[in-house]
Amino acid sequence: MSTMRDHVTKAIYDCTLGTFDDIKARHTHPLGEISKEEIRHIDLASNWEPDFAFVHLFHLMLEAKGQPPLWSEFDQFVETDRRLEMFRADRAALQDRIFREELEKIKTRFPKAADPENKAQFLAKASLDWRIGNAYYGFMREMYTAVALREKGLNVKVHPLADANFRADGWLGRNILSVFVINPRFKVADQKRAEQRQKGRKKAVEDLFPGNQFGFAELTMEGAERFGEFHFPSQAAIDEVERSLRRMLNGSS
């Protein structure tokens, strides 16, 4: 689509790790005090991949705000930006579908429940907010990684189309960076580190670029232990992927 084909990434290159410290200090949890257990069963929400990709949305917010956005800025931006009509329609249709399914479940299980419509509407919106919130955390983690590596002197670039279409969270020359978090929900049997990508949802970027024309660097993290907080790479993880990228730039394995 022309909106993202013509997109120019600039704002993130002016950010520092201090920018993220400020964002963390002002951050609010996407769902406040709601328990994830209330919405875990809603697969329509947890598996939602909108046609207007989440990464497109957050990159538009990034450029509009001049820095990575706060979660509290999300709703107003989505409702007022004319470029997001597709996303708004997609979310509204899915929220209505979840509402109808949850309402039927509530009426079946609790025929005497008071105001089941209100509960179903709450679950529908909350489950989608949680899905969007998870995508937001992933986007922020990728932007943090790019900025951390740039502060180390590596001219890492990012673009929403590279991410959405090619699973490239960043690149440096002909070397592609992936930021990967192991998701226990999708975990399989124990494997070697090189196979850890199979434990998560994200497809490996190497699968999209067969051959040896590109180098690949992967920053792998364990899943977050607490919900509602940013989960950024450790300094050790940043240092490790920095060494990997520098080796590739120098032509060594």
Side-chain angles (χ1 to χ4, degrees), residues 9-23 26 58-59 61-69 139-140 142-154 156 158:
T9 300
K10 295 189 297 183
I12 194 64
Y13 303 142
D14 294 326
C15 294
T16 67
L17 293 182
T19 305
F20 290 88
D21 290 336
D22 177 66
I23 291 171
R26 296 188 289 146
F58 293 126
H59 268 282
M61 289 186 69
L62 167 62
E63 296 303 326
K65 302 295 180 181
Q67 67 173 37
F139 172 78
M140 295 294 284
E142 292 162 9
M143 294 303 101
Y144 179 96
T145 301
V147 169
L149 291 171
R150 289 177 66 85
E151 287 200 351
K152 286 177 165 290
L154 295 174
V156 172
V158 296

Side-chain angles (χ1 to χ4, degrees), residues 36 40 46-47 130-131 134 141 180-188 196-202 220-224 227 231:
K36 187 178 180 181
R40 185 188 297 275
S46 60
N47 295 327
W130 193 288
R131 173 68 184 100
N134 280 338
R141 182 164 47 246
F180 186 82
V181 178
I182 297 172
N183 188 334
R185 183 178 179 186
F186 296 88
K187 192 171 183 179
V188 295
Q196 283 183 332
R197 63 175 179 267
Q198 300 301 330
K199 298 180 182 179
R201 302 182 67 180
K202 195 170 187 177
T220 303
M221 303 168 55
E222 293 293 332
F227 294 111
H231 181 45

Side-chain angles (χ1 to χ4, degrees), residues 162 166 168 170-178 205-218 244-245 247-249 251-252:
F166 303 112
W171 73 90
L172 179 62
R174 298 184 68 82
N175 302 300
I176 299 174
L177 170 67
S178 296
V205 66
E206 295 98 319
D207 297 339
L208 301 175
F209 294 95
N212 57 4
Q213 67 267 44
F214 294 98
F216 302 97
E218 184 177 280
S244 178
L245 286 167
R247 285 195 299 269
M248 287 187 284
L249 287 175
S252 58

Side-chain angles (χ1 to χ4, degrees), residues 18-229:
T19 305
F20 290 88
D21 290 336
D22 177 66
I23 291 171
K24 284 192 291 185
R26 296 188 289 146
H27 175 61
T28 56
H29 183 11
L31 285 186
E33 298 302 317
I34 187 175
S35 168
K36 187 178 180 181
E37 296 305 316
E38 291 188 78
I39 56 175
R40 185 188 297 275
H41 66 283
I42 306 178
D43 291 337
L44 283 174
S46 60
N47 295 327
W48 180 35
E49 296 291 346
D51 290 336
F52 192 89
F54 293 122
V55 69
H56 294 342
L57 168 59
F58 293 126
H59 268 282
L60 291 179
M61 289 186 69
L62 167 62
E63 296 303 326
K65 302 295 180 181
Q67 67 173 37
L70 292 167
W71 172 257
S72 58
E73 299 169 325
F74 177 81
D75 280 337
Q76 181 179 6
F77 184 81
V78 168
E79 294 305 321
T80 57
D81 194 290
R82 59 178 176 78
R83 297 167 294 181
L84 300 180
E85 182 177 352
M86 179 190 296
F87 181 85
R88 287 193 293 270
D90 193 358
R91 182 174 68 171
L94 185 56
Q95 184 168 322
D96 180 66
R97 180 180 174 186
I98 294 172
F99 163 74
R100 287 185 280 106
E101 291 191 4
E102 291 304 304
L103 180 60
E104 182 65 25
K105 291 176 184 177
I106 293 170
K107 287 182 175 180
T108 299
R109 293 183 60 191
F110 308 103
K112 296 183 179 181
D115 201 3
E117 290 81 4
N118 185 62
K119 178 66 173 180
Q121 194 63 261
F122 169 77
L123 291 174
K125 184 179 186 306
S127 63
L128 291 182
D129 281 351
W130 193 288
R131 173 68 184 100
I132 299 167
N134 280 338
Y136 168 73
Y137 284 133
F139 172 78
M140 295 294 284
R141 182 164 47 246
E142 292 162 9
M143 294 303 101
Y144 179 96
T145 301
V147 169
L149 291 171
R150 289 177 66 85
E151 287 200 351
K152 286 177 165 290
L154 295 174
N155 190 25
V156 172
K157 300 289 187 180
V158 296
H159 193 278
L161 289 180
D163 191 328
N165 293 351
F166 303 112
R167 303 292 191 267
D169 297 327
W171 73 90
L172 179 62
R174 298 184 68 82
N175 302 300
I176 299 174
L177 170 67
S178 296
V179 180
F180 186 82
V181 178
I182 297 172
N183 188 334
R185 183 178 179 186
F186 296 88
K187 192 171 183 179
V188 295
D190 287 339
Q191 301 172 57
K192 295 179 181 178
R193 180 179 177 82
E195 298 170 337
Q196 283 183 332
R197 63 175 179 267
Q198 300 301 330
K199 298 180 182 179
R201 302 182 67 180
K202 195 170 187 177
K203 293 181 180 178
V205 66
E206 295 98 319
D207 297 339
L208 301 175
F209 294 95
N212 57 4
Q213 67 267 44
F214 294 98
F216 302 97
E218 184 177 280
L219 189 155
T220 303
M221 303 168 55
E222 293 293 332
E225 295 181 355
R226 291 177 296 201
F227 294 111
E229 298 180 8

